[in-house]
Amino acid sequence: MKDEISLIPGVKLYKQEGRTGLYQVILPYQTVGKPMLRYVSTTWGESFGFFKNNYTIAVFYERDFEKVVQKVLALSKGRMLPHTWETEWKRLDAELTEESRKLVFQDPAKFSLEELKAMYDRLYALDQDMWTVLIFIDAFDAGFDQVEIDKITKEYGFSESEEHTLVTSSIPAFTTAWEMALHDLNRGSISRDTLKRRFFWYGMDYSSFSEVSDEFIGAELAKLHPVAFEDPTEEQKRILTKHNLTQNPLAFFNELTTWRDERKRLNYTGLYGLLKVLREVFKRRGINPLLVNALLPWQVEDLFRGSLTEARLRKQFSEGVFLHITKDCDFVYSFGAEAVEKWDIVSRALSAVSGGELKGTVASKGKARGNVRVVLDPKGPGARAFLKGEILVTSMTRPEFLPLMKIAEAIVTDEGGITSHAAIVSRELKKPCIIGTRTATKVLKDGDLVEVDADRGIVRILKRAGK
């Protein structure tokens, strides 16, 4: 049966995009359908994705995200996430971390293919269970977190700064925890071995694999900055006392902020183990290990059997792969020219907005002026050309964007909610940040002079580049 692609007219779309390996991004997407029904009685619904050359764009219907959000809020009763979810998440955190950490101290070359397959299967099962618990978080990114936060803020009469303080986690983001540990290493408070054991996964991102070696640590120490994190606990107590409250009405979103960051950490933890095993098998099969980024999870069986070829993976990497998650949560893949043709249908449905002003959600207050630098790939030419004081404009930030965020004058994103990575880190860095503009990366161009008014959530174009 031919897979027909048609989008529902008039229904808002939500886009995610960024530099990712195909294998790395499909892992969470595999849980957005039937698996997540174990926790939430609805799914992300029909959705579409396109991968090519280490870059992925995914498109979803906002209405399906909203259904997930409402189900989660009902289960949490607007206060805290269900205790059973937390219990399961902590179990998976401990088990997945331990399974991956074993590979730090073991040489995978010493194991048989059968032993490597057993390792992979254990890691894969834990990783999928982890994503099944935590995949609901992305549904809030279409701005639904801010909608609920605004309702609560209005009900209790919080100011915007009080609102931001009350949703700020008392646990530093893992990128900040890493830098704090580096400072401890500099002071002699911890050893390099301790740092490696705690942060063995830190060299991971969605498209690359690195060990936390002495060379890696040395490079990180060379660019170390003072840590900006301030524990908000006392300020939160002061705000609650001021409003005659004993409990934080925004506790759910405070907790969501923590879970989001911990999920990234656990994602990289799982990827460390999975990719270390896969890279070893790639080497034995005579396939370039970098092509693990073009692998689909269901092709792992072929890889271990020896029937997967490097030519097949190269085609997937450079010619494109299209994924259609149907209304029935079935996964239908298309390749090459057919993939491009189907993506064109979806791409045309994504409308761009132009004009002299963009609006989004305030993630971190403040004002800034500067020249735009659009960076979609944190390891691409735009990132290498980024200058201190420029305005970082991107689809969404991830931990690998941290060096750019530190030297940016302000941050503007297409995607994300108030508990997103960009929001969390920009508040820690005290940088003006506007999120959820939807079209900033399309409307703004390198060299545009803009004013970022993160008090009001507005980006104004003052002068177009070259004019």
Side-chain angles (χ1 to χ4, degrees), residues 390-405:
E390 290 186 321
I391 307 297
L392 173 62
V393 177
T394 187
S395 177
M396 63 188 296
T397 69
R398 294 191 176 99
E400 53 267 35
F401 277 86
L402 184 60
L404 302 182
M405 296 175 77

Side-chain angles (χ1 to χ4, degrees), residues 326-467:
T326 70
K327 297 171 186 176
D328 297 323
C329 301
D330 294 323
F331 279 55
V332 182
Y333 290 97
S334 302
F335 303 88
E338 184 182 1
V340 173
E341 180 183 343
K342 289 182 176 179
W343 173 245
D344 283 345
I345 296 171
V346 178
S347 184
R348 286 196 296 270
L350 290 168
S351 59
V353 179
S354 61
E357 187 173 280
L358 285 167
K359 293 184 179 180
T361 299
V362 174
S364 180
K365 297 188 75 172
K367 291 184 179 181
R369 285 191 180 195
N371 292 326
V372 164
R373 180 79 65 178
V374 179
V375 181
L376 297 177
D377 181 352
K379 297 182 179 180
R384 291 192 291 272
F386 197 91
L387 301 174
K388 180 178 174 59
E390 290 186 321
I391 307 297
L392 173 62
V393 177
T394 187
S395 177
M396 63 188 296
T397 69
R398 294 191 176 99
E400 53 267 35
F401 277 86
L402 184 60
L404 302 182
M405 296 175 77
K406 286 180 177 179
I407 62 174
E409 196 70 15
I411 299 131
V412 179
T413 72
D414 288 346
E415 306 166 27
I418 200 67
T419 59
S420 65
H421 178 268
I424 295 167
V425 175
S426 64
R427 288 196 291 270
E428 288 187 1
L429 296 174
K430 296 180 173 56
K431 301 266 185 171
C433 178
I434 297 175
I435 55 178
T437 64
R438 299 179 181 271
T439 58
T441 59
K442 300 292 187 294
V443 174
L444 301 176
K445 306 299 180 185
D446 286 350
D448 286 350
L449 177 65
V450 300
E451 178 185 68
V452 178
D453 184 349
D455 293 330
R456 299 174 60 200
I458 296 172
V459 182
R460 298 184 184 89
I461 302 172
L462 304 177
K463 184 181 179 182
R464 285 291 189 181
K467 294 185 178 179

Side-chain angles (χ1 to χ4, degrees), residues 25-308:
V25 79
I26 292 295
L27 289 177
Y29 287 165
Q30 288 183 148
T31 66
V32 304
K34 294 170 186 175
M36 73 180 295
L37 293 174
R38 287 159 47 188
Y39 297 93
V40 185
S41 59
T42 189
T43 73
W44 282 18
E46 186 178 24
S47 48
F48 315 89
F50 182 68
F51 167 88
K52 188 175 181 179
N53 294 328
N54 253 9
Y55 202 83
T56 303
I57 308 175
V59 176
F60 312 89
Y61 287 114
E62 278 195 16
R63 66 180 188 180
D64 294 320
F65 272 25
E66 186 172 17
K67 289 176 185 176
V68 173
V69 166
Q70 294 307 320
K71 292 289 185 183
V72 172
L73 290 173
L75 287 167
S76 68
K77 299 180 175 59
R79 293 189 294 274
M80 301 290 278
L81 289 158
H83 179 69
T84 52
W85 295 10
E86 184 176 8
T87 300
E88 181 68 355
W89 165 57
K90 287 183 177 178
R91 177 188 72 81
L92 291 165
D93 187 349
E95 293 185 18
L96 185 55
T97 300
E98 187 55 33
E99 283 295 322
S100 276
R101 185 182 282 124
K102 288 176 184 177
L103 285 159
V104 179
F105 306 104
Q106 295 175 325
D107 182 359
K110 295 180 179 179
F111 293 97
S112 67
L113 280 174
E114 291 75 17
E115 289 171 323
L116 288 172
K117 184 62 164 57
M119 289 180 189
Y120 178 86
D121 288 345
R122 287 196 299 272
L123 285 161
Y124 180 79
L126 288 167
D127 185 84
Q128 288 292 280
D129 283 347
M130 177 273 291
W131 277 114
T132 300
V133 180
L134 301 177
I135 195 63
F136 76 90
I137 293 174
D138 296 76
F140 284 85
D141 280 356
F144 298 119
D145 52 359
Q146 190 63 54
V147 170
E148 296 300 321
I149 289 170
D150 287 345
K151 290 178 185 176
I152 297 169
T153 293
K154 184 176 180 180
E155 178 183 352
Y156 288 92
F158 298 135
S159 68
E160 194 170 51
S161 63
E162 288 174 336
E163 169 196 299
H164 285 176
T165 299
L166 291 174
V167 300
T168 298
S169 175
S170 59
I171 300 173
F174 74 73
T175 50
T176 303
W178 163 256
E179 293 198 326
M180 294 166 86
L182 286 176
H183 281 289
D184 287 341
L185 178 66
N186 263 342
R187 288 191 291 266
S189 305
I190 63 170
S191 67
R192 287 202 171 209
D193 286 344
T194 298
L195 183 70
K196 291 175 185 178
R197 182 171 180 81
R198 282 178 56 194
F199 293 94
F200 66 89
W201 44 267
Y202 194 82
M204 301 299 305
D205 61 36
Y206 277 88
S207 62
S208 59
F209 178 98
S210 295
E211 296 281 4
V212 179
S213 61
D214 287 335
E215 292 76 15
F216 182 93
I217 294 170
E220 290 287 303
L221 286 170
K223 58 185 180 182
L224 186 61
H225 289 73
V227 177
F229 178 75
E230 294 180 9
D231 189 334
T233 303
E234 291 305 314
E235 181 61 15
Q236 288 170 350
K237 289 178 181 177
R238 187 195 67 75
I239 293 169
L240 296 180
T241 299
K242 172 187 171 182
H243 291 271
N244 297 314
L245 296 169
T246 57
Q247 293 184 324
N248 182 358
L250 291 167
F252 172 88
F253 295 98
N254 182 293
E255 188 176 27
L256 192 65
T257 301
T258 302
W259 276 42
R260 180 186 296 277
D261 191 67
E262 290 291 279
R263 187 184 71 168
K264 280 193 175 70
R265 172 186 59 79
L266 199 50
N267 175 32
Y268 292 166
T269 300
L271 283 176
Y272 175 88
L274 289 165
L275 293 182
K276 193 157 186 178
V277 171
L278 290 174
R279 286 165 64 88
E280 173 61 26
V281 182
F282 269 57
K283 291 175 186 175
R284 295 190 193 188
R285 297 301 186 202
I287 301 174
N288 185 340
L290 294 177
L291 287 172
V292 72
N293 285 12
L295 180 71
L296 285 161
W298 57 264
Q299 293 175 321
V300 170
E301 295 293 332
D302 292 340
L303 173 67
F304 274 93
R305 282 196 298 265
S307 58
L308 183 65

